[in-house]
Amino acid sequence: MQPDSISQSRSSSAAIAKIPVEWRKALGLLAAASFALIVLTAREWGEMLHQWWNIDTYSHIILVPIIIGWLVALKFGELAQVVPRSWSPGLAIVAAGLGLWLMGRASEINLIAHAGAVGMLQGMVIAAIGPRASMVLALPIAFGVFLVPFGDEIIPPLQAITAEISIALTLWSGIPAEIDGIYIDTPAGLFIVAEACSGVKFLIAMVTLAVLVCFTRFERWSHRALFILASIVVPIVANGIRAWGTIYIAQSQGVEFAAGFDHIFYGWIFFAIVVALILAAAWRYFDREPENYGWTADGVARFALIRSMERFQSSAIVVFACLAAMVILTAITASIVAPGALG
């Protein structure tokens, strides 16, 4: 072994040695269990990765694992004050995720299968580190929900809303037009509010950002509710204005010019402007720093419910053995009710 390799090996060993023994056990259990669950649901994770990377609607999800890592890193100081204990009741959440995954595969509904694949990992985190540490990490654990690609279901109503906003603004601006569903007929041509123009990708990305901002920058629930509401309403209205802008420009500059302008400006640039405006309006109401989000270790220690829940602690070996049995049983069931689930 070369000197550099020896030095790096020693540095890695030293870094691992700094991690408390109990955390090393918990993280080892979590790593082994997560590997088993991901292998079982490899098809779903492959599908989700494909959607994150290749479909614009879900491209923002690539940032979600990074955000989760950042949220966990902010809590390192608090986690150092907590002793993780494997917790067998957490396997009930894993079982629910496995059941959801199996249901999704049997019914061939990807959304359900994907939700199950993510949910079982969230449950495994809770089972591996216990309720006390999980409460400290409640936000990053819950934020894992946004790993699931969703939103296709709301495209039709968003198309309808965008069409109604754009026709109202078109008539208001003095341009004669008629609407038939998602079709808008104007002197410059016939415009269609296609799926790509529904604004779904902006809305989903904005809601994801809004949840992050709400729980890292606001203390008051009233502020959180208002910010979430604004993060839903403003992008929908803004998208209607975007569609109207395309129609308005087409009347004087032609359809081709309007389409090109829409493609260049009204993409993520337009979305960035909308995000900046919403954040600017909320900035004065931010009442805490991101590193202060969630519960502290001392705060969680005062929860009587947490102390009651910790009575059901189990050894890591028992938890992993139970998980292994659940995975094997689910795999056997899947091979019967959904033969292609493991392919």
Side-chain angles (χ1 to χ4, degrees):
M1 185 179 288
Q2 297 297 318
D4 287 347
S5 300
I6 295 173
S7 177
Q8 291 175 2
S9 178
R10 288 176 177 174
S11 298
S12 300
S13 298
I16 294 174
K18 291 180 180 180
I19 302 175
V21 175
E22 293 300 330
W23 272 108
R24 273 183 272 169
K25 290 180 181 179
L27 294 176
L29 169 61
L30 180 59
S34 297
F35 178 78
L37 292 171
I38 290 174
V39 168
L40 176 67
T41 58
R43 171 177 165 180
E44 282 62 43
W45 285 103
E47 291 170 348
M48 287 190 285
L49 285 169
H50 170 78
Q51 289 177 286
W52 301 350
W53 190 257
N54 295 300
I55 301 177
D56 286 346
T57 303
Y58 307 118
S59 57
H60 68 280
I61 300 181
I62 295 173
L63 297 176
V64 172
I66 299 173
I67 293 171
I68 292 174
W70 172 66
L71 290 172
V72 172
L74 289 178
K75 286 295 184 181
F76 279 170
E78 298 295 333
L79 293 173
Q81 303 175 46
V82 177
V83 178
R85 303 291 185 189
S86 50
W87 190 60
S88 54
L91 292 175
I93 303 174
V94 179
L98 287 167
L100 202 61
W101 168 77
L102 192 58
M103 185 187 307
R105 282 284 65 98
S107 62
E108 297 186 351
I109 300 177
N110 287 342
L111 177 61
I112 296 177
H114 295 167
V118 171
M120 63 180 74
L121 286 185
Q122 291 173 298
M124 194 59 235
V125 172
I126 298 171
I129 67 177
R132 188 180 296 254
S134 295
M135 286 294 288
V136 175
L137 294 178
L139 179 58
I141 292 173
F143 204 76
V145 168
F146 292 108
L147 291 170
V148 180
F150 65 91
D152 286 350
E153 304 77 17
I154 61 174
I155 288 177
L158 286 178
Q159 286 177 283
I161 293 172
T162 300
E164 291 296 335
I165 294 174
S166 58
I167 187 63
L169 291 175
T170 299
L171 295 173
W172 172 79
S173 59
I175 300 172
E178 294 182 359
I179 186 172
D180 181 13
I182 60 173
Y183 297 89
I184 299 175
D185 193 9
T186 73
L190 180 66
F191 293 86
I192 304 173
V193 181
E195 291 185 4
C197 302
S198 66
V200 65
K201 66 179 179 180
F202 298 150
L203 179 59
I204 296 174
M206 190 65 224
V207 169
T208 304
L209 175 63
V211 170
L212 177 65
V213 171
C214 280
F215 289 95
T216 56
R217 300 298 271 148
F218 293 117
E219 286 277 2
R220 300 179 184 178
W221 279 98
S222 58
H223 288 170
R224 293 174 181 174
L226 288 173
F227 190 79
I228 287 288
L229 180 62
S231 299
I232 294 173
V233 173
V234 173
I236 291 175
V237 173
N239 192 60
I241 295 173
R242 178 203 66 79
W244 163 74
T246 301
I247 295 173
Y248 187 82
I249 293 173
Q251 307 308 306
S252 58
Q253 304 298 323
V255 174
E256 290 186 5
F257 178 86
F261 184 78
D262 178 80
H263 179 72
I264 294 173
F265 179 75
Y266 284 136
W268 288 107
I269 296 177
F270 184 75
F271 176 65
I273 293 173
V274 172
V275 171
L277 291 174
I278 293 176
L279 291 176
W283 195 272
R284 60 176 294 185
Y285 300 103
F286 289 169
D287 48 16
R288 71 174 173 192
E289 296 302 316
E291 57 267 24
N292 296 324
Y293 82 83
W295 290 288
T296 63
D298 290 339
V300 172
R302 290 192 291 269
F303 294 164
L305 178 60
I306 294 297
R307 293 194 295 273
S308 298
M309 294 168 69
E310 287 181 326
R311 291 182 299 177
F312 300 96
Q313 294 173 354
S314 304
S315 70
I317 295 176
V318 170
V319 171
F320 186 77
C322 291
L323 174 76
M326 291 164 56
V327 169
I328 293 171
L329 180 61
T330 303
I332 294 172
T333 305
S335 66
I336 297 172
V337 301
L342 304 178

